[in-house]
Amino acid sequence: MRVLRPLGWRERLWCLFLPARCLCCGRAVRPERLFCPGCVPALPKEPLSREFPLPGGGSLAVAACFPYEKGFRRTLHRLKFQEERALARPLGTLMAEAASSLGEDFDGVTWVPMSPQKLRRRGYNQSELLAKAVAKELGLPAWDLLEQVRETDTQHNLTRAQRADNVRGAYRAKGAALGKRVLLVDDIVTTGATLRACAQGLYGAGAQKVCAVCAANTAFSRREELPPAEPEEDM
């Protein structure tokens, strides 16, 4: 896994005001470092790979950078709930690297959308920030292909079956997806319900191929126990 990234002068200047921190433990690091030397030995050797079946046949391949735990969990909370939007750039570097493990040549990158109500409350969509960072790293266009057509409940309070029901038919893709090979971006994958619903929307609009990449993966209990109550783990 990459531990350094090239920085332009604007980003270096920004780090004078907001020092860079290790994405795993949060310790201060040099601006070009993604991780501190102490965290490097424990980094995953390969992206975390998952595959989810889609209704009607086929499957959705998903790559993720890290388990959703420990310091990396706090890093995503900083992006998602504490308005540290600049974290999307270094996270996008790692996600672009993970996307290469999917073995596909993509035409463009899109993201899991938010409902207008949630977007107004938060002020930004962290998945969109990540998708644009990934697209820049891969040299691909970032496309606004999906929209959420109805409000859904917060996923983290639901069982696996309830999550699938909650997002079924909640996302619609635009006609620009026709014939395209699309990389779908979200911050966290748990049961894959949201990603599958979005992939179905993209395939329904004529996409040729859809794969997904996320910053983190969190396993869901086989007994479908509820995960710990926390703010909005996934949309």
Side-chain angles (χ1 to χ4, degrees):
M1 180 173 288
R2 186 183 300 188
V3 298
L4 299 173
R5 65 186 181 112
L7 288 181
W9 67 268
R10 287 187 178 87
E11 284 183 287
R12 289 188 179 275
L13 183 62
W14 179 251
C15 286
L16 294 176
F17 302 95
L18 189 65
R21 295 160 65 180
C22 172
L23 295 176
C24 279
C25 70
R27 293 190 183 97
V29 294
R30 296 199 309 270
E32 68 275 10
R33 291 196 66 92
L34 296 169
F35 308 99
C36 72
C39 287
V40 169
L43 296 179
K45 304 304 180 187
E46 301 289 341
L48 308 174
S49 298
R50 298 180 70 178
E51 193 161 331
F52 298 102
L54 295 174
S59 61
L60 175 68
V62 181
C65 300
F66 281 95
Y68 184 56
E69 61 186 22
K70 301 178 183 177
F72 194 68
R73 182 188 187 111
R74 290 191 292 272
T75 294
L76 289 185
H77 276 233
R78 286 161 50 205
L79 168 67
K80 194 167 183 176
F81 302 116
Q82 298 175 22
E83 298 196 22
E84 291 194 37
R85 305 185 197 192
L87 282 169
R89 292 295 300 276
L91 290 171
T93 298
L94 297 176
M95 293 170 69
E97 184 180 8
S100 65
S101 70
L102 294 166
E104 295 286 344
D105 292 322
F106 299 103
D107 298 311
V109 181
T110 195
W111 56 87
V112 173
M114 276 183 174
S115 68
Q117 295 89 336
K118 184 175 287 187
L119 188 58
R120 281 195 296 271
R121 288 197 302 269
R122 184 170 297 171
Y124 63 98
N125 180 350
Q126 73 280 353
S127 296
E128 179 180 355
L129 297 179
L130 291 169
K132 290 180 176 178
V134 170
K136 185 172 183 178
E137 285 288 328
L138 295 176
L140 295 172
W143 294 327
D144 184 7
L145 292 181
L146 288 157
E147 59 182 337
Q148 189 171 339
V149 295
R150 63 174 176 80
E151 195 71 27
T152 57
D153 294 328
T154 300
Q155 291 279 72
H156 79 271
N157 285 327
L158 306 179
T159 66
R160 185 186 301 272
Q162 288 170 337
R163 286 176 182 234
D165 288 338
N166 185 44
V167 296
R168 186 171 290 114
Y171 301 99
R172 180 171 59 203
K174 302 171 185 177
L178 182 63
K180 299 295 194 299
R181 296 165 297 179
V182 181
L183 179 63
L184 174 63
V185 170
D186 202 5
D187 54 351
I188 304 164
V189 55
T190 303
T191 65
T194 299
L195 290 174
R196 283 182 289 156
C198 288
Q200 286 177 255
L202 290 165
Y203 279 124
Q208 178 182 331
K209 181 69 177 179
V210 182
C211 297
V213 65
C214 297
N217 168 76
T218 179
F220 201 81
S221 168
R222 291 181 180 179
R223 296 190 302 275
E224 298 192 343
E225 295 173 347
L226 293 180
E230 288 189 358
E232 303 174 358
E233 293 300 34
D234 86 284
M235 293 182 294

